[in-house]
Amino acid sequence: MQIHQSAEDYLETILMLSQRMGKVRSIDVVNELGFTKAGVSIAMKKLRENGYIAVDGEGNLTLLEPGLEIAQRIYSRHQLLTHFFVQLGVDEQTAAEDACKAEHILSEQTLEKIRESALRNDAAHPQAK
């Protein structure tokens, strides 16, 4: 399944907002990402047409199974990389920003090695969690 980085970012944002707020509308995505209403509207239309999200009559966005799978995969990568970068001594905000960039480009092999290293470090330094 080939999907663009921007679509992955939108799906991940919908997932994060739904976890935080429950219901998510396009304006919430606009506010979270700082994009224009028109740009988000176009993106939501494409995601809906491609079967990644559904939009109800009140404008609430719901991740459909394919969109949810992508969002969870990207969000999991984001959390792992943020945690790993913080372990390296990067401040939380910079770590999260860098994770957002790296989450799309790293191979599964590289991510697995990062995961292994982060787990080893957590085990060696349990108080640092």
Side-chain angles (χ1 to χ4, degrees):
M1 169 186 341
Q2 185 66 16
I3 184 167
H4 293 284
Q5 177 179 334
S6 60
E8 290 177 341
D9 285 337
Y10 280 116
L11 295 171
E12 179 187 21
T13 299
I14 294 168
L15 175 65
M16 293 183 332
L17 289 171
S18 67
Q19 290 174 346
R20 194 166 61 215
M21 302 170 35
K23 294 184 178 186
V24 180
R25 299 175 55 143
S26 291
I27 191 65
D28 301 317
V29 176
V30 167
N31 293 334
E32 183 75 11
L33 297 176
F35 296 161
T36 65
K37 289 180 185 179
V40 170
S41 178
I42 291 167
M44 294 305 110
K45 180 180 180 194
K46 288 180 183 176
L47 290 173
R48 186 175 38 79
E49 289 173 349
N50 287 307
Y52 294 115
I53 66 168
V55 183
D56 70 16
E58 296 176 0
N60 296 309
L61 308 174
T62 304
L63 291 168
L64 300 176
E65 192 59 36
L68 181 60
E69 288 176 12
I70 293 166
Q72 288 174 330
R73 177 176 50 84
I74 295 300
Y75 188 51
S76 174
R77 288 171 161 237
H78 182 94
Q79 290 176 306
L80 169 65
L81 291 170
T82 300
H83 178 72
F84 182 69
F85 295 156
V86 168
Q87 283 183 334
L88 295 175
V90 178
D91 69 87
E92 185 80 30
Q93 182 176 344
T94 303
E97 290 169 1
D98 289 348
C100 193
K101 298 170 194 165
E103 67 197 18
H104 303 282
I105 60 173
L106 295 176
S107 70
E108 286 302 319
Q109 179 183 8
T110 299
L111 284 166
E112 185 54 36
K113 295 302 179 186
I114 289 172
R115 184 175 293 106
E116 290 171 7
S117 178
L119 288 172
R120 276 193 310 274
N121 194 41
D122 284 347
H125 304 96
Q127 71 283 359
K129 284 186 190 178

